Amino acid sequence: MALRTSSPTATRAPLPWRRRQAAAAAARAAPAVAPQSLLQLMWLASPALPIGGFSYSEGLEAAISSGWVQSEADAAHWLVQQLQLTQARGDMAAMAQALPAWHANDRSRLAALNAWVRETRESSELRLQTEQMGRSLIAWLRNQYSEDAARLDAIEWLAAQDASYPLAFSLAAHFSGASARPALLAYSFGWAENMVQAAIKAVPLGQSAGQRILSQLSAAIPAAVDHALALPDAQRQAFSPMLAILSAQHENQYSRLFRS
C-alpha cells in the first residue's frame, strides 16, 4: 500500500493540515546541507557504524521462512511496504518530532517520544533491537564527544531514559547540524541498506538483485520522509499486525541467521 496524500483546496483544508503541509514544504526547500554535516550523516548511515544493525532483519527472515518472501520481487515489495507502513508512520515520524525538540532542549517532549518508541515495539525481539542499537549508538556518541561537556550532558540524559535507537539517532543527527529532512533521508537509507543485506543473505539473492531492490527503496524514500515530517502526534502509529506475528514467531524459529 503506497502512501497517499490528499490535496484539499486551500479554502477547505483544516488549519492543522495546512500547517503540516507548510512544514513539509519548508523542509523540502531547506538550504543544501553543509559539507561537514553531510559527512556526519553519511557516517551515521554507514553499515560500518558499530551499532549492530546488520544483525537484525526486522521480521524479514520470518517472512521468508513462512513463504511470504521467496524472490527478488517479493523482497522488494515487502521492504517498500515496510518503509511506507511502519518506518514512515512510526520511527521516522518520532525522529521528525524529536529533532526540533533537541533544538529547543525540550526534554519532557523527548522523554515522551522515547517512551512511545519503546512502548510500541510489538515483540520482545523488536524491543531488544531498539534498546541494543540505542545503547550502542549512545556509546559511540560518548566516544565522539568525550571532551564536549554540553553534548555529554545530553548524551547521558538520553542514556538515563533507556535510549531507543530512533531517539539516539535523532540526537546524533542534531549534533551534525543538519536539518530534519536530510537527517531522515540518511536514517532511511541506512535502514534500507541493512534490510537489503538481510534479504541478500536470507532469501538468498545475488548482489545485483540487492542493488535493484535498493534502487526501488531509494526511489520511495523521499516521499516516505515527507510523510513522516508531516505527521502529527495523533497520526503517528506502530500498528503492523502481520509483522508483529512474524516477529513473535521468529523468536522461536528453529533455524535463523538474524536476531529479529
Side-chain angles (χ1 to χ4, degrees):
M1 180 187 296
L3 293 175
R4 296 179 181 177
T5 54
S6 56
S7 53
T9 63
T11 57
R12 294 183 181 179
L15 183 58
W17 186 92
R18 297 202 304 272
R19 285 176 175 166
R20 295 198 302 273
Q21 296 305 309
R28 289 193 294 271
V33 184
Q36 192 59 39
S37 294
L38 178 59
L39 288 169
Q40 285 292 312
L41 292 179
M42 292 169 65
W43 195 353
L44 289 172
S46 171
L49 196 72
I51 58 173
F54 64 88
S55 62
Y56 299 99
S57 81
E58 299 184 17
L60 177 61
E61 186 173 32
I64 293 165
S65 179
S66 299
W68 288 86
V69 175
Q70 297 291 295
S71 66
E72 175 186 339
D74 291 343
H77 180 72
W78 182 273
L79 294 178
V80 170
Q81 294 278 291
Q82 191 169 350
L83 169 70
Q84 295 173 333
L85 299 178
T86 66
Q87 286 291 325
R89 300 190 303 181
D91 289 0
M92 288 164 59
M95 284 181 53
Q97 294 164 3
L99 285 161
W102 284 117
H103 285 292
N105 197 28
D106 186 348
R107 293 192 174 181
S108 62
R109 172 70 163 153
L110 291 162
L113 288 167
N114 188 61
W116 182 87
V117 172
R118 289 169 50 82
E119 291 165 3
T120 55
R121 302 305 90 172
E122 295 183 297
S123 71
S124 63
E125 67 177 24
L126 292 177
R127 174 73 173 262
L128 289 172
Q129 176 182 349
T130 201
E131 291 173 341
Q132 179 271 303
M133 292 180 68
R135 285 194 303 270
S136 295
L137 187 49
I138 287 289
W140 183 85
L141 288 169
R142 284 194 186 105
N143 183 62
Q144 293 298 306
Y145 300 106
S146 60
E147 298 181 3
D148 188 324
R151 290 184 173 182
L152 276 176
D153 177 70
I155 293 165
E156 296 305 336
W157 175 83
L158 184 58
Q161 311 303 309
D162 293 325
S164 65
Y165 176 57
L167 267 290
F169 192 99
S170 72
L171 178 58
H174 169 62
F175 288 163
S176 79
S179 59
R181 191 167 192 265
L184 286 173
L185 288 169
Y187 169 87
S188 304
F189 189 78
W191 172 85
E193 276 202 303
N194 277 328
M195 296 303 294
V196 166
Q197 287 303 310
I200 288 172
K201 294 172 186 174
V203 172
L205 300 169
Q207 292 293 332
S208 294
Q211 290 298 300
R212 289 191 291 269
I213 296 172
L214 191 58
S215 176
Q216 291 185 55
L217 284 165
S218 296
I221 281 173
V225 166
D226 291 339
H227 186 77
L229 287 166
L231 278 183
D233 279 354
Q235 294 182 26
R236 189 177 66 243
Q237 61 179 284
F239 181 66
S240 47
M242 181 53 68
L243 190 62
I245 291 168
L246 287 169
S247 180
Q249 291 174 340
H250 186 264
E251 292 170 0
N252 298 297
Q253 190 167 307
Y254 174 70
S255 176
R256 61 186 192 174
L257 297 172
F258 299 95
R259 297 178 65 184
S260 73

